Amino acid sequence: MLEVKNLAVNYRGVTAVEDVSFRSLPGQIVGVIGPNGAGKSTMVKAILGLVPSTSGVVKFRDRALKQQLNSVAYVPQRSQIDWDYPITVWNVVLMARTVHTGWFREPSRSSQEIVKDALVRVGMLELRSRQIGELSGGQQQRVFLARALAQQAELLFFDEPFVGVDKKTEAIIFEVFEELKSQGKILLVITHDLGTALTKCDQLLLLNKQIIADGSMKEVMTADNIQRAYGDSIFIFNREVV
Ligand SMILES: Nc1ncnc2c1ncn2[C@@H]1O[C@H](COP(=O)(O)OP(=O)(O)OP(=O)(O)O)[C@@H](O)[C@H]1O
Ligand SMILES: [Mg+2]
């Protein structure tokens, strides 16, 4: 189980995340939604210790998460990745294996097999020698998904994986998510897509600095909760989905 208690983050004295607490069970896809600037990315970074938190405890399997970061995969929001970094598709995915083999050892044959399988799984093996900066947005997302797969993590974080991807890539991402879920992993997925993606989630967290609602889609997506998180701007949300 992933357990987050009273997590808070300030950027230069301004509160970005406040008193966030929730629990997630193995084999669950956890959707995180909320308006721009709600603190979704910040919350994930604070869970991973990538930004300092002013308070909070994060436990995974009853132990501090920061002592188990090799069980964690994280795919950042696209805008936060340096795409000019000169590295091939194959090496991006192979990097996931360094947690297992160390930086300076030759990757083992089994690591290379795992990398290959992950690239096949997302349909990117043919482009393995391409520079990562020379891929389309959807192809880049698939490579990062392959990296998360190759890492064989137990806890996976995806920050807006559906942005700018076509239906085919979206379908591949969903399939892989379902597979990981059936292996008992926990997936935390930030999304702006209030449609299909939400129906795949076992648990939803609606965030606007604080947790506005936490539960099933039906429990969370009430007109009242949506209004509290997004204000009046989201009148398009139709009550049939609620
Ligand atoms: N490095 C930073 N320094 C200062 N303020 C920051 C920093 N990163 C984010 N913020 C601020 O913290 C708040 C939360 O930002 P965050 O990126 O977590 O939101 P988000 O919910 O992920 O938004 P989006 O949907 O646009 O990705 C925003 O007000 C943002 O301006
Ligand atoms: Mg974000």
Side-chain angles (χ1 to χ4, degrees), residues 1-211:
M1 185 169 72
L2 171 69
E3 201 176 358
V4 175
K5 264 195 212 159
N6 309 116
L7 191 67
V9 181
N10 288 347
Y11 289 120
R12 290 183 226 106
V14 180
T15 306
V17 168
E18 196 176 358
D19 198 25
V20 163
S21 301
F22 65 91
R23 293 169 172 205
S24 303
L25 298 172
Q28 295 215 321
I29 300 179
V30 185
V32 180
I33 53 171
N36 288 134
K40 302 178 298 295
S41 299
T42 300
M43 178 188 84
V44 165
K45 287 185 212 165
I47 289 173
L48 297 171
L50 297 173
V51 296
S53 45
T54 45
S55 72
V57 176
V58 181
K59 287 188 176 172
F60 180 51
R61 300 182 289 207
D62 294 324
R63 291 195 295 126
L65 180 68
K66 63 171 182 274
Q67 279 151 23
Q68 310 172 66
L69 290 176
N70 55 2
S71 301
V72 178
Y74 168 52
V75 181
Q77 200 164 349
R78 273 200 75 214
S79 58
Q80 303 188 347
I81 300 173
D82 177 8
W83 297 107
D84 293 329
Y85 191 79
I87 184 168
T88 61
V89 165
W90 179 268
N91 282 333
V92 166
V93 182
L94 186 65
M95 265 162 56
R97 301 300 308 161
T98 56
V99 264
H100 300 277
T101 57
W103 275 105
F104 303 107
R105 298 235 318 267
E106 272 294 293
S108 65
R109 181 168 283 271
S110 74
S111 271
Q112 305 213 33
E113 280 300 310
I114 288 166
V115 170
K116 188 175 152 205
D117 289 349
L119 283 170
V120 169
R121 186 68 196 82
V122 302
M124 287 296 295
L125 188 67
E126 276 86 88
L127 297 181
R128 62 185 171 276
S129 304
R130 242 337 148 79
Q131 295 290 314
I132 188 84
E134 295 169 359
L135 300 175
S136 75
Q139 289 168 337
Q140 287 167 341
Q141 277 299 341
R142 286 199 252 165
V143 172
F144 278 85
L145 182 61
R147 185 169 82 154
L149 279 177
Q151 201 182 325
Q152 298 181 321
E154 294 302 317
L155 183 56
L156 299 98
F157 295 86
F158 297 90
D159 197 342
E160 306 211 8
F162 305 111
V163 169
V165 305
D166 62 15
K167 287 286 160 205
K168 184 180 161 208
T169 302
E170 188 182 287
I172 292 173
I173 296 174
F174 280 133
E175 274 171 38
V176 172
F177 281 3
E178 290 293 329
E179 256 172 59
L180 292 165
K181 172 184 152 139
S182 71
Q183 293 164 9
K185 314 211 168 191
I186 299 176
L187 289 83
L188 202 134
V189 184
I190 298 175
T191 179
H192 272 293
D193 172 3
L194 296 182
T196 334
L198 293 199
T199 63
K200 311 271 180 185
C201 295
D202 305 288
Q203 177 185 7
L204 269 190
L205 301 174
L206 176 59
L207 191 74
N208 196 351
K209 285 194 189 177
Q210 311 178 351
I211 301 265

